[in-house]
Amino acid sequence: MAPRKEDASRFLPVTRTLATLTEAVTHCKGCPIHETATQAVFGEGDVRARLMMVGEQPGDHEDLAGRPFVGPAGKLLDQALTAAGITRETAYVTNVVKHFKFEPRGKRRIHQKPNAAEIFACTPWLVAEIEAVQPTVLVCLGSTAAQAILGKAFRVTTQRGEILKSPLVPKVPHVVATMHPSSLLRTPDPQTRELELARLIADLRVAAEILGSAATLTLQ
Ligand code: URA
């Protein structure tokens, strides 16, 4: 018989508000990543946010600060959001995986991609966050988030910017995926980086436009 996969459900509180979830995640031992990470990094933002942004996992800066997207990738995300007409304060920002997975190399901690079992284990936290916030638009940043939410067959390179639905969170009306800002930071050629930034902004504008038209519909 195949081994039973265990997720983090047993660490989730019975009553799931952002406050109870944020407290409970600090005790999560749902996968081995917690053993080396400094702390769990839960999402942050307004519980009434209509836009939710989902990244892969906290990075080095986030692991130390205990907050999502506060390092270089977060700064680039802020820049792209501003260019797309979105203020970060109006969004709820989180990650698929709540602990930082890394490999020590000398004094440095090198980011490691979370594997399928770790993503599976952490998914109940993300689903609970999405259910608590009930966003109108969910933006997946990068392929880890996109595949966790939209399925393994999803390809961010070819399907970015499309307005989709997710079988994982069917109550979310609109899901849009784009590249992860970290991938732009790893692009050495400045011209390609500029081009990729423009594409990231264009994808975020798709989300901004949905929010704009949803607001108009609500006012009618
Ligand atoms: N990359 C992510 O995916 N999330 C963060 O919070 C920071 C970097």
Side-chain angles (χ1 to χ4, degrees):
M1 199 167 59
R4 201 166 64 92
K5 283 202 272 179
E6 270 221 81
D7 66 17
S9 299
R10 64 196 183 282
F11 296 98
L12 268 73
V14 178
T15 306
R16 295 173 188 177
T17 65
L18 287 184
T20 61
L21 290 163
T22 305
E23 199 287 319
V25 79
T26 64
H27 309 289
C28 186
K29 296 179 173 55
C31 83
I33 311 182
H34 79 274
E35 289 165 15
T36 47
T38 308
Q39 57 192 314
V41 178
F42 207 58
E44 66 175 25
D46 194 326
V47 69
R48 291 158 308 179
R50 294 161 60 235
L51 172 65
M52 184 183 273
M53 319 271 309
V54 185
E56 182 194 84
Q57 63 166 338
D60 187 59
H61 291 80
E62 290 77 15
D63 171 75
L64 298 173
R67 297 179 54 209
F69 282 100
V70 292
K75 302 235 162 20
L76 188 57
L77 177 62
D78 289 350
Q79 186 190 332
L81 284 170
T82 304
I86 300 166
T87 32
R88 161 102 172 232
E89 291 67 37
T90 63
Y92 184 91
V93 181
T94 191
N95 286 296
V96 173
V97 169
K98 309 302 189 211
H99 284 101
F100 176 39
K101 182 178 180 184
F102 64 92
E103 190 183 278
R105 206 170 295 163
K107 283 194 182 149
R108 296 180 61 211
R109 305 192 298 168
I110 310 297
H111 164 275
Q112 298 285 297
K113 252 192 181 313
N115 63 34
E118 291 153 354
I119 292 168
F120 174 83
C122 218
T123 297
W125 293 111
L126 178 64
V127 172
E129 272 178 307
I130 295 170
E131 281 173 1
V133 177
Q134 297 182 23
T136 303
V137 187
L138 199 148
V139 174
C140 309
L141 299 167
S143 63
T144 299
Q147 291 188 349
I149 292 163
L150 292 163
K152 278 306 268 179
F154 185 84
R155 293 288 169 267
V156 77
T157 44
T158 53
Q159 292 172 278
R160 63 184 298 171
E162 290 178 17
I163 303 168
L164 302 161
K165 292 277 294 175
S166 160
L168 183 71
V169 281
K171 285 196 215 142
V172 177
H174 313 280
V175 180
V176 178
T178 187
M179 294 305 264
H180 196 291
S182 294
S183 74
L184 271 70
L185 294 174
R186 290 193 300 268
T187 305
D189 175 47
Q191 261 185 325
T192 314
R193 206 165 47 234
E194 274 308 302
L195 207 71
E196 283 304 324
L197 178 59
R199 295 185 74 197
L200 172 62
I201 294 166
D203 293 340
L204 294 175
R205 281 204 182 113
V206 172
E209 275 163 25
I210 297 168
L211 292 173
S213 46
T216 316
L217 286 174
T218 321
L219 288 174
Q220 280 170 352

